[in-house]
Amino acid sequence: MSMRMGRPSVLKRVTRAGGQAGAGAYTAVLSLVVLGASGAIGIALTSPWLFPSLGPTVMLIFGSPQEKASRPLNAAVGHAVAIVAGLICLYLFGMAGKPPAPVGGPTPGYVLAGAVSVALTAFVLHVVKLPHPPAGATTLIVSLGIIATPPGILSMAAAIAFTIVAGWGINWLLGERLRRGLG
């Protein structure tokens, strides 16, 4: 049992007291805090600090902190691989510099870039044994040209790092500890 100073973590206590609703409230409130902070940073910097793959990342971090896929290493490597795979596919299929898929519409190049980037991300994360399913959304965001400029990619990476550090820092402060092992 994860304990801090002899007490179960806040997540375990709210789950014991409120069942699934207690665990859901823990996940919801802390997801709101971290994503709200990330969004506020994005507003202040006028850059993309809030995007779809951060939602499932915080849901894993707060809702399933003991799962391998929610560990900080898995999240960091997963999103990093996803960004690289997305960029490779964006350029490989000739879609760099074109209007993003949601604006310009689906094209064979975007379909290939998106599908191959997810497959590549899934393959690499499986091989290195560091699963993080939200990375599938990150690679689509990049390979479909939604966030694909150098400043956008840097902002995306910074937002991912912030989300991981803030999420696990909050969990740690509330007594939640990781399972043993790095990956």
Side-chain angles (χ1 to χ4, degrees):
M1 175 182 282
S2 294
M3 300 181 105
R4 186 171 189 202
M5 295 187 263
R7 297 186 70 189
S9 70
V10 172
L11 175 58
K12 286 180 179 49
R13 286 184 282 162
V14 299
T15 300
R16 195 175 4 223
Q20 288 303 104
Y26 178 93
T27 303
V29 168
L30 296 177
S31 294
L32 175 67
V33 167
V34 171
L35 292 178
S38 187
I41 293 168
I43 289 170
L45 298 175
T46 63
S47 61
W49 272 62
L50 187 60
F51 43 88
S53 54
L54 293 182
T57 294
V58 295
M59 290 174 70
L60 276 172
I61 289 171
F62 295 122
S64 303
Q66 295 301 316
E67 293 298 318
K68 185 175 183 177
S70 68
R71 290 181 181 171
L73 180 64
N74 292 61
V77 171
H79 288 293
V81 167
I83 289 170
V84 171
L87 286 170
I88 288 169
C89 291
L90 183 72
Y91 283 90
L92 180 67
F93 294 104
M95 302 314 296
K98 302 212 172 171
V103 174
T107 64
Y110 274 130
V111 170
L112 285 167
V116 172
S117 72
V118 172
L120 181 58
T121 300
F123 174 77
V124 171
L125 295 182
H126 184 77
V127 168
V128 299
K129 298 180 181 176
L130 294 171
H132 187 68
T138 296
T139 201
L140 282 174
I141 292 165
V142 175
S143 65
L144 297 177
I146 298 165
I147 300 175
T149 64
I153 295 296
L154 288 174
S155 290
M156 185 180 226
I160 290 165
F162 169 81
T163 300
I164 293 167
V165 170
W168 277 104
I170 291 169
N171 264 348
W172 184 83
L173 288 172
L174 297 177
E176 194 60 43
R177 298 294 185 262
L178 293 174
R179 289 182 357 196
R180 294 203 178 269
L182 293 175

